[in-house]
Amino acid sequence: MPKTKIAKEKEIVHKMIAIYCRGSGHGREQLCTECAELLEYACKRLDHCRFGEDKKFCKHCPIHCYNKEMRVRIRTVMRYSGPRIMLYHPVAAMDHLLSSIMQRVGGK
């Protein structure tokens, strides 16, 4: 059974937060409290996304459902983890990149 779009988004967010947490010296084996809080928040936002399985990446969404503080935190994580994810999770990174390209050209 293939993963849903929301499940894939949660997976990639988790991986990116883990890369950031480890690289920032917050946590080694598991996420620090701050990063775990951010992951929980991001997953709740994904669970309650009004677009459901038709959603675009949050970066391209017309509705910003993250509060201001969390938006700043997730952007920091994405800036740090984005260039590094290819090293740690190349298959997930390529899948995410292809999905992004497909969204831009009008596919799903």
Side-chain angles (χ1 to χ4, degrees):
M1 182 172 178
K3 290 182 185 173
T4 66
K5 196 174 204 179
I6 298 292
K8 286 181 182 180
E9 287 274 326
K10 286 180 182 181
E11 186 178 299
I12 200 80
V13 166
H14 183 257
K15 289 175 180 184
M16 292 182 91
I17 291 173
I19 290 169
Y20 173 79
C21 191
R22 212 176 15 251
S24 299
H26 296 184
R28 286 277 175 222
E29 297 300 316
Q30 57 187 355
L31 297 178
C32 69
T33 306
E34 261 185 42
C35 291
E37 177 185 90
L38 180 60
L39 177 61
E40 183 180 338
Y41 182 84
C43 288
K44 279 183 185 175
R45 299 286 80 204
L46 286 166
D47 286 338
H48 295 95
C49 179
R50 69 174 3 166
F51 298 106
E53 289 299 311
D54 294 328
K55 77 177 288 312
K56 297 179 182 218
F57 290 123
C58 296
K59 178 180 177 180
H60 304 292
C61 187
I63 299 167
H64 297 292
C65 62
Y66 278 47
N67 70 39
K68 198 171 191 174
E69 176 197 346
M70 292 301 209
R71 198 174 315 146
V72 169
R73 287 172 60 185
I74 199 72
R75 279 186 184 148
T76 302
V77 167
M78 296 300 165
R79 278 191 201 110
Y80 180 88
S81 301
R84 292 167 175 83
I85 195 156
M86 250 335 227
L87 300 171
Y88 296 98
H89 305 287
V91 174
M94 288 305 296
D95 183 50
H96 188 69
L97 179 65
L98 290 172
S99 295
S100 178
I101 291 168
M102 290 303 292
Q103 279 185 6
R104 282 191 226 142
V105 296
K108 286 192 177 185

